[in-house]
């Protein structure tokens, strides 16, 4: 469970040899990328399904993820205003429970509005729980939460900065974005996607255009999978032991398997496998006609880059949509080698104007993956991430249509050979910055 790229292993070895007094504490804080499972929690079992008729479902289940479940009323948000309206609709519509997880809660008008709405629901008897990532809160201060806690809502910080490395590594971040309302009750609903709960991800701030992003909401039985994941994360953040995998197995044992439904795909230190990465690699090898990828940061694992390149070489239409310039300049420099490799194999690269923050992968008419995971080593190997897999042909095509609409405003990009300075800079960033 601690597989590393050779460059990362070499970097740590050199660091430990050359500066041991600094390297050892750093390794204790940042070196491990798998957490110790809470006491009493079993590893996910391997369920062997025969002849289910879907390689995507088989792969997801083999990675210890839930069986496919029915969902209904899937709504893709056309823009930030629609996402904002849907978010408030899910929050205000909760009658029994309301669970919210986000990496960043902005100290801005939108963040304060979310806290006010959560406090209002708590004051009306709804059980409200808010979970914020510790590093995300350090990177962007969140609004005061006194109103929420006074109203009866609960708050927990997921791995606060400088927390004990014996419980979890500071460098492992909960990057999941999730709102779950009334799980297990009629009208249960999930709001999810790539948007943090801050103004720039929705309608922007005065003088600054909003980022382009992808979010969605849905109802149905698949809501329970999201609720189970939140319960797992909440227990871990609180230091409690919850045998969540056993309860998931029991919940789905003998249940009907809607092969055109959907599945939650959790990835991160709490999973035995690198689930999103393994699924993406498998899907790239399985694709027959088209792969469409949207991500703000493209610094992929070599196995994924090879799978995508081979798909392009065998005639699969591989389209990659990235921002012309992201909010992380170092990421824009580091992506150069991967972009050149993909383009040389026949992949097409599209540069979106402004900041594009969406995370989407579509494979033929078979599978659409949407959620929080970027196509970089931090998301695929370090962060706690959440994606939803959609198998209904009509909905896969809806996600593909969203991609095509975004691509229509982008410009085609042909990477140029780098100069010596840029080539060295890319190598240093890949070796140090994006592997540790």
């Amino acid at each position: 469970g601690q597989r590393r790229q050779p460059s990362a292993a070499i970097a740590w070895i050199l660091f430990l040899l050359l500066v041991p007094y600094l390297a050892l504490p750093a390794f204790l804080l940042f070196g491990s990328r798998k957490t110790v499972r809470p006491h009493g929690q079993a590893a996910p079992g391997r369920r062997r399904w025969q002849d289910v008729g879907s390689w995507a479902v088989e792969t997801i289940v083999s990675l210890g993820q839930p069986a496919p479940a029915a969902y209904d009323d899937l709504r893709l948000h056309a823009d930030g205003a629609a996402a904002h309206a849907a978010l408030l609709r899910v929050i205000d519509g909760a009658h029994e429970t309301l669970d919210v997880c986000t990496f960043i809660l902005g100290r801005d008008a939108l963040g304060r509005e979310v806290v006010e709405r959560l406090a209002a629901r708590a004051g009306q008897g709804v059980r409200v729980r808010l979970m914020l990532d510790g590093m995300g809160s350090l990177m962007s201060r969140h609004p005061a939460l006194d109103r929420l806690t006074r109203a009866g809502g609960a708050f927990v910080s997921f791995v606060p900065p400088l927390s004990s490395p014996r419980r979890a590594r500071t460098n492992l971040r909960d990057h999941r974005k999730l709102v779950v309302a009334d799980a297990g009750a009629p009208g249960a609903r999930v709001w999810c996607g790539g948007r943090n709960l801050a103004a720039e991800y929705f309608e922007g701030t005065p003088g600054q255009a909003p980022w382009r992003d992808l979010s969605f909401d849905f109802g149905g039985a698949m809501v329970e999978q999201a609720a189970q994941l939140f319960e797992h994360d909440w227990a871990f953040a609180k230091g409690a032991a919850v045998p969540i995998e056993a309860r998931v197995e029991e919940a789905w044992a003998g249940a009907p398997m809607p092969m055109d439904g959907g599945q939650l795909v959790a990835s991160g230190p709490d999973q035995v496998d690198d689930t999103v990465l393994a699924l993406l690699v498998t899907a790239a090898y399985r694709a027959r006609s088209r792969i469409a990828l949207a991500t703000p940061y493209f610094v992929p694992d070599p196995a994924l880059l090879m799978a995508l390149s081979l798909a392009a070489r065998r005639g699969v239409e591989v389209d990659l949509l990235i921002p012309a310039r992201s909010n992380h300049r170092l990421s824009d420099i580091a992506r150069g080698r991967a972009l050149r490799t993909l383009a040389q194999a026949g992949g097409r690269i599209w540069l979106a104007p402004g900041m594009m923050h969406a995370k989407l992968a579509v494979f033929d008419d078979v599978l659409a993956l949407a959620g929080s995971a970027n196509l970089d080593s931090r998301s695929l190997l370090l962060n706690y991430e959440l994606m939803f897999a959609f198998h209904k042909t009509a909905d896969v095509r809806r996600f593909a249509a969203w991609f095509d609409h975004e691509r229509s405003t982008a410009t085609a990009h042909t990477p140029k050979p780098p100069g010596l300075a840029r080539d060295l800079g890319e190598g240093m960033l890949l070796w140090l910055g994006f592997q540790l």
Side-chain angles (χ1 to χ4, degrees):
Q2 297 293 316
R3 180 181 67 85
R4 299 181 187 278
Q5 296 303 317
S7 58
I10 293 170
W12 275 117
I13 290 171
L14 290 176
F15 193 21
L16 287 164
L17 288 175
L18 297 176
V19 198
Y21 295 108
L22 291 177
L24 184 58
F27 186 82
L28 290 175
L29 284 173
F30 306 119
S32 176
R33 65 181 192 85
K34 292 292 183 183
T35 58
V36 177
R37 291 183 170 275
H39 178 68
Q41 182 180 339
R46 289 294 187 267
R47 290 157 284 183
R48 296 185 179 275
W49 291 3
Q50 301 296 329
D51 303 322
V52 299
S54 169
W55 62 260
V57 170
E58 289 176 346
T59 301
I60 294 169
V61 172
S62 75
L63 291 168
Q65 303 304 293
Y71 65 88
D72 56 46
D73 193 25
L74 172 65
R75 303 177 184 178
L76 277 61
H77 308 145
D79 53 27
H84 186 184
L87 173 66
L88 298 184
R89 187 165 57 246
V90 172
I91 291 175
D92 293 345
H95 297 290
E96 298 182 11
T97 63
L98 186 57
D99 296 325
V100 179
C101 170
T102 188
F103 182 64
I104 290 175
L105 178 63
R107 195 179 181 89
D108 53 30
L110 189 135
R112 289 190 293 271
E113 181 183 34
V114 169
V115 173
E116 289 291 320
R117 298 290 182 115
L118 295 179
R121 302 314 295 146
Q124 295 177 8
V126 175
R127 187 201 67 183
V128 176
R129 296 184 293 182
L130 172 64
M131 179 164 53
L132 302 178
D133 181 74
M135 185 61 68
S137 296
L138 185 65
M139 293 168 58
S140 178
R141 294 178 60 199
H142 58 70
L145 302 177
D146 295 350
R147 167 88 190 272
L148 173 62
T149 54
R150 285 198 308 268
F155 163 72
V156 69
S157 179
F158 191 96
V159 188
L162 304 181
S163 62
S164 170
R166 295 179 62 185
R167 188 170 74 87
R169 297 299 190 265
T170 297
N171 200 32
L172 304 180
R173 307 171 187 172
D174 188 353
H175 196 241
R176 295 164 180 163
K177 291 95 172 171
L178 183 66
V179 179
V180 186
D182 292 339
R189 200 147 191 95
V190 157
W191 183 100
C192 187
R195 301 178 198 270
N196 285 298
L197 302 184
E200 61 266 31
Y201 298 89
F202 290 85
E203 293 156 291
T205 56
Q208 186 174 11
W211 294 3
R212 296 296 302 175
D213 214 325
L214 174 61
S215 57
F216 50 90
D217 63 281
F218 60 84
M222 194 163 60
V223 173
E224 182 62 21
Q225 297 185 0
Q228 293 278 18
L229 181 67
F230 183 92
E231 202 70 43
H232 171 280
D233 290 352
W234 183 267
F236 179 73
K238 298 285 286 186
V242 177
I244 190 68
E245 284 83 0
R247 293 200 284 121
V248 168
E249 294 280 351
E250 180 181 340
W252 292 103
M257 299 179 297
M259 304 313 297
D260 64 346
Q263 293 168 276
L264 176 146
V265 183
S267 185
D270 56 344
Q271 304 294 313
V272 173
D273 300 297
D274 298 314
T275 51
V276 170
L277 174 60
L279 178 57
L280 289 169
V281 171
T282 301
Y285 283 118
R286 288 279 193 166
R288 292 294 174 264
S289 60
R290 190 191 188 194
I291 299 173
L293 306 169
T295 181
Y297 321 114
F298 187 67
V299 192
D301 179 270
L304 177 57
L305 182 59
M306 177 181 290
L308 294 172
S309 298
L310 288 175
R313 290 186 186 280
R314 68 173 186 269
V316 176
E317 188 177 272
V318 179
D319 287 309
L320 172 67
L321 178 66
I322 55 176
R325 182 166 185 172
S326 78
N327 61 319
H328 291 302
R329 182 57 179 159
L330 294 182
S331 175
D332 293 347
I333 296 173
R335 72 190 185 185
R337 290 188 179 183
L339 294 180
R340 292 192 296 273
T341 298
L342 184 60
Q344 289 166 3
R348 300 189 300 188
I349 299 162
W350 304 89
L351 301 183
M355 177 55 187
M356 196 280 303
H357 192 253
K359 304 94 164 53
L360 176 66
V362 179
F363 300 89
D364 301 331
D365 287 339
V366 176
L367 173 66
L369 276 175
S372 69
N374 301 308
L375 297 185
D376 63 13
S377 294
R378 166 155 289 283
S379 274
L380 297 176
L381 297 174
L382 291 175
N383 288 349
Y384 297 81
E385 300 284 1
L386 167 63
M387 303 291 276
F388 279 99
F390 297 92
H391 305 299
K392 293 180 184 179
T393 300
D395 287 335
V396 174
R397 290 175 177 170
R398 289 174 63 194
F399 280 105
W402 180 94
F403 178 92
D404 289 336
H405 174 74
E406 292 297 312
R407 191 185 63 166
S408 68
T409 65
T411 57
H413 173 64
T414 302
K416 298 179 181 179
L420 177 61
R422 185 175 185 92
D423 194 37
L424 290 174
E426 289 175 2
M428 290 298 294
L429 283 175
L430 290 170
W431 184 37
L432 297 175
F434 286 87
Q435 298 293 343
L436 299 179

